[in-house]
Amino acid sequence: MDPLRPTRRYDYVTDGQEIYRRSFGMIRDEADLTGLPGDLHGAAVRIIHAAGDVAITSEIAAHPHVATAAHDALVAGAPILTDSNMLASGVTRRRLPDDNEVICTLRDARVPALAADWDTTRAAAAVSLWRDHLEGSVVAIGNAPTALFHLLEMLRDGAPRPAAIVGMPVGFVGSAESKVALAEHELPGGPVPWLVVHGRRGGSAMAAAALNALANPDELA
């Protein structure tokens, strides 16, 4: 008898592949994706899975070209910029088309002093250190609304344009507002293509799920 193996007391599915098949089959059966472009269905399914709620479909909104813009940038070798190390860890490296660099500057030694000097959060200050990597990058924000607001302010001030922005910060203060600001932003040359989950919900898991789907759009097609 294996001393590490517990006595099975519950009736549950133990086959990982079967759990995967059933989970995504249930999402496909229950979620209404007709309001989203076809090339975003994979990302939407992943977001729903991360949220555990098909009702979140109604909160998903996107620029019409975000899927193409994000995927093309990643195929071309663009880096991924994230606002949290949790989100960076959630990126599935094997799904990236060009071994893309994943950058999170939150632990950079300069961040605390910048945050104190600018009277802002460390997440927002860390975004300023993206400047040399922003051009053509894919940005994913899943934690801090201040990071998304700060990025939009940088872009309005003329910072290099990323190829796409996944904006899914979570929380009760500023989260919903930051996503509205992203969806409504305008820049010379037009807005940066974006993907959001409107409202208070979001988080690193949802943002990473969306990013992984954008990197490998055929997986759940």
Side-chain angles (χ1 to χ4, degrees):
M1 181 176 179
D2 185 349
L4 297 178
R5 182 177 181 177
T7 302
R8 183 72 58 79
R9 294 179 171 86
Y10 305 98
D11 182 17
Y12 57 97
V13 181
T14 59
D15 184 304
Q17 289 301 312
E18 180 64 8
I19 293 170
Y20 181 97
R21 186 190 67 78
R22 287 196 198 182
S23 295
F24 288 102
M26 291 168 71
I27 291 171
R28 291 287 189 183
D29 289 342
E30 297 177 22
D32 181 5
L33 303 177
T34 56
L36 294 170
D39 61 2
L40 272 180
H41 285 190
V45 167
R46 285 285 181 187
I47 292 168
I48 293 165
H49 184 255
D53 184 5
V54 296
I56 203 169
T57 311
S58 64
E59 305 300 330
I60 300 172
H63 183 280
H65 304 307
V66 68
T68 299
H71 183 65
D72 288 353
L74 293 174
V75 168
I80 295 167
L81 308 179
T82 75
D83 70 321
S84 72
N85 290 289
M86 183 181 294
L87 201 167
S89 296
V91 176
T92 305
R93 299 312 201 265
R94 64 179 174 79
R95 288 201 181 101
L96 299 179
D98 195 43
D99 193 26
N100 307 75
E101 185 178 9
V102 181
I103 299 170
C104 178
T105 53
L106 191 59
R107 292 176 181 164
D108 188 288
R110 294 168 288 178
V111 165
L114 288 175
D117 187 42
W118 297 343
D119 191 25
T120 190
T121 66
R122 293 189 180 191
V127 170
S128 288
L129 303 181
W130 292 354
R131 184 174 290 270
D132 290 343
H133 307 285
L134 265 177
E135 184 69 39
S137 66
V138 176
V139 171
I141 294 176
N143 183 44
T146 55
L148 183 50
F149 278 127
H150 194 87
L151 173 63
L152 293 173
E153 290 168 340
M154 287 174 61
L155 295 175
R156 291 288 297 272
D157 285 344
R161 290 170 60 103
I165 302 171
V166 174
M168 299 182 186
V170 63
F172 290 86
V173 179
S175 173
E177 294 84 353
S178 70
K179 288 175 271 192
V180 170
L182 174 59
E184 295 181 350
H185 82 282
E186 289 291 342
L187 297 171
V192 175
W194 50 271
L195 172 63
V196 301
V197 171
H198 278 302
R200 294 171 171 175
R201 287 193 288 180
S204 295
M206 283 192 207
L211 188 59
N212 289 332
L214 293 172
N216 190 5
D218 296 331
E219 184 179 27
L220 290 174

